PDB file of all heavy atoms in Angstrom:
ATOM      1  N   LEU W 156     104.254 149.559 120.128  1.00 98.00           N
ATOM      2  CA  LEU W 156     103.049 150.171 120.699  1.00 98.00           C
ATOM      3  C   LEU W 156     101.819 149.813 119.869  1.00 98.00           C
ATOM      4  O   LEU W 156     100.712 149.770 120.381  1.00 98.00           O
ATOM      5  CB  LEU W 156     103.201 151.695 120.751  1.00 98.00           C
ATOM      6  CG  LEU W 156     104.211 152.208 121.787  1.00 98.00           C
ATOM      7  CD1 LEU W 156     104.594 153.651 121.491  1.00 98.00           C
ATOM      8  CD2 LEU W 156     103.640 152.083 123.200  1.00 98.00           C
ATOM      9  N   LYS W 157     102.054 149.588 118.575  1.00 98.00           N
ATOM     10  CA  LYS W 157     100.913 149.353 117.675  1.00 98.00           C
ATOM     11  C   LYS W 157     100.809 147.909 117.210  1.00 98.00           C
ATOM     12  O   LYS W 157      99.989 147.594 116.346  1.00 98.00           O
ATOM     13  CB  LYS W 157     101.071 150.244 116.442  1.00 98.00           C
ATOM     14  CG  LYS W 157     100.971 151.712 116.770  1.00 98.00           C
ATOM     15  CD  LYS W 157     100.566 152.493 115.559  1.00 98.00           C
ATOM     16  CE  LYS W 157     100.247 153.913 115.948  1.00 98.00           C
ATOM     17  NZ  LYS W 157     100.746 154.897 115.016  1.00 98.00           N
ATOM     18  N   SER W 158     101.650 147.042 117.748  1.00 98.00           N
ATOM     19  CA  SER W 158     101.673 145.651 117.288  1.00 98.00           C
ATOM     20  C   SER W 158     100.300 145.000 117.431  1.00 98.00           C
ATOM     21  O   SER W 158      99.543 145.299 118.358  1.00 98.00           O
ATOM     22  CB  SER W 158     102.682 144.862 118.121  1.00 98.00           C
ATOM     23  OG  SER W 158     102.526 143.489 117.885  1.00 98.00           O
ATOM     24  N   GLU W 159     100.001 144.102 116.508  1.00 97.00           N
ATOM     25  CA  GLU W 159      98.752 143.327 116.584  1.00 97.00           C
ATOM     26  C   GLU W 159      98.918 142.123 117.501  1.00 97.00           C
ATOM     27  O   GLU W 159      97.954 141.427 117.801  1.00 97.00           O
ATOM     28  CB  GLU W 159      98.347 142.836 115.181  1.00 97.00           C
ATOM     29  CG  GLU W 159      97.973 143.956 114.201  1.00 97.00           C
ATOM     30  CD  GLU W 159      96.776 144.779 114.663  1.00 97.00           C
ATOM     31  OE1 GLU W 159      95.871 144.205 115.292  1.00 97.00           O
ATOM     32  OE2 GLU W 159      96.771 146.005 114.429  1.00 97.00           O
ATOM     33  N   ASN W 160     100.151 141.829 117.899  1.00 98.00           N
ATOM     34  CA  ASN W 160     100.386 140.687 118.789  1.00 98.00           C
ATOM     35  C   ASN W 160     100.265 141.129 120.244  1.00 98.00           C
ATOM     36  O   ASN W 160     100.496 142.297 120.565  1.00 98.00           O
ATOM     37  CB  ASN W 160     101.778 140.101 118.538  1.00 98.00           C
ATOM     38  CG  ASN W 160     101.896 139.565 117.126  1.00 98.00           C
ATOM     39  OD1 ASN W 160     100.945 138.968 116.611  1.00 98.00           O
ATOM     40  ND2 ASN W 160     103.022 139.811 116.483  1.00 98.00           N
ATOM     41  N   ILE W 161      99.950 140.172 121.094  1.00 98.00           N
ATOM     42  CA  ILE W 161      99.756 140.506 122.513  1.00 98.00           C
ATOM     43  C   ILE W 161     101.111 140.722 123.194  1.00 98.00           C
ATOM     44  O   ILE W 161     101.301 141.653 123.972  1.00 98.00           O
ATOM     45  CB  ILE W 161      98.944 139.393 123.208  1.00 98.00           C
ATOM     46  CG1 ILE W 161      97.587 139.266 122.513  1.00 98.00           C
ATOM     47  CG2 ILE W 161      98.757 139.692 124.692  1.00 98.00           C
ATOM     48  CD1 ILE W 161      96.759 138.073 122.970  1.00 98.00           C
ATOM     49  N   TYR W 162     102.055 139.836 122.901  1.00 98.00           N
ATOM     50  CA  TYR W 162     103.432 139.975 123.402  1.00 98.00           C
ATOM     51  C   TYR W 162     104.389 139.965 122.230  1.00 98.00           C
ATOM     52  O   TYR W 162     104.130 139.328 121.206  1.00 98.00           O
ATOM     53  CB  TYR W 162     103.791 138.824 124.361  1.00 98.00           C
ATOM     54  CG  TYR W 162     103.231 139.044 125.743  1.00 98.00           C
ATOM     55  CD1 TYR W 162     101.912 138.723 126.021  1.00 98.00           C
ATOM     56  CD2 TYR W 162     104.004 139.612 126.748  1.00 98.00           C
ATOM     57  CE1 TYR W 162     101.373 138.956 127.282  1.00 98.00           C
ATOM     58  CE2 TYR W 162     103.468 139.855 128.012  1.00 98.00           C
ATOM     59  CZ  TYR W 162     102.161 139.524 128.269  1.00 98.00           C
ATOM     60  OH  TYR W 162     101.633 139.765 129.520  1.00 98.00           O
ATOM     61  N   GLU W 163     105.502 140.668 122.386  1.00 98.00           N
ATOM     62  CA  GLU W 163     106.542 140.707 121.356  1.00 98.00           C
ATOM     63  C   GLU W 163     107.897 140.529 122.029  1.00 98.00           C
ATOM     64  O   GLU W 163     108.044 140.764 123.230  1.00 98.00           O
ATOM     65  CB  GLU W 163     106.551 142.070 120.650  1.00 98.00           C
ATOM     66  CG  GLU W 163     105.345 142.334 119.756  1.00 98.00           C
ATOM     67  CD  GLU W 163     105.546 141.859 118.315  1.00 98.00           C
ATOM     68  OE1 GLU W 163     106.491 141.081 118.062  1.00 98.00           O
ATOM     69  OE2 GLU W 163     104.729 142.269 117.467  1.00 98.00           O
ATOM     70  N   VAL W 164     108.886 140.197 121.204  1.00 98.00           N
ATOM     71  CA  VAL W 164     110.263 140.147 121.693  1.00 98.00           C
ATOM     72  C   VAL W 164     110.867 141.526 121.458  1.00 98.00           C
ATOM     73  O   VAL W 164     110.690 142.115 120.388  1.00 98.00           O
ATOM     74  CB  VAL W 164     111.075 139.079 120.921  1.00 98.00           C
ATOM     75  CG1 VAL W 164     112.533 139.078 121.392  1.00 98.00           C
ATOM     76  CG2 VAL W 164     110.443 137.703 121.110  1.00 98.00           C
ATOM     77  N   SER W 165     111.532 142.062 122.465  1.00 98.00           N
ATOM     78  CA  SER W 165     112.205 143.352 122.290  1.00 98.00           C
ATOM     79  C   SER W 165     113.653 143.213 122.748  1.00 98.00           C
ATOM     80  O   SER W 165     114.049 142.169 123.265  1.00 98.00           O
ATOM     81  CB  SER W 165     111.482 144.450 123.064  1.00 98.00           C
ATOM     82  OG  SER W 165     111.674 144.265 124.449  1.00 98.00           O
ATOM     83  N   THR W 166     114.410 144.280 122.546  1.00 98.00           N
ATOM     84  CA  THR W 166     115.841 144.238 122.881  1.00 98.00           C
ATOM     85  C   THR W 166     116.209 145.476 123.675  1.00 98.00           C
ATOM     86  O   THR W 166     115.881 146.606 123.272  1.00 98.00           O
ATOM     87  CB  THR W 166     116.685 144.242 121.579  1.00 98.00           C
ATOM     88  OG1 THR W 166     116.161 143.245 120.710  1.00 98.00           O
ATOM     89  CG2 THR W 166     118.139 143.949 121.851  1.00 98.00           C
ATOM     90  N   HIS W 167     116.883 145.278 124.795  1.00 97.00           N
ATOM     91  CA  HIS W 167     117.348 146.426 125.574  1.00 97.00           C
ATOM     92  C   HIS W 167     118.397 147.184 124.749  1.00 97.00           C
ATOM     93  O   HIS W 167     119.334 146.571 124.230  1.00 97.00           O
ATOM     94  CB  HIS W 167     117.940 145.944 126.899  1.00 97.00           C
ATOM     95  CG  HIS W 167     118.244 147.068 127.837  1.00 97.00           C
ATOM     96  ND1 HIS W 167     119.369 147.854 127.706  1.00 97.00           N
ATOM     97  CD2 HIS W 167     117.551 147.551 128.882  1.00 97.00           C
ATOM     98  CE1 HIS W 167     119.356 148.775 128.665  1.00 97.00           C
ATOM     99  NE2 HIS W 167     118.259 148.615 129.383  1.00 97.00           N
TER     100      HIS W 167
END
Side-chain angles (χ1 to χ4, degrees):
L156 289 163
K157 294 203 171 139
S158 168
E159 294 299 326
N160 297 321
I161 300 172
Y162 280 82
E163 290 270 15
V164 177
S165 71
T166 311
H167 189 281

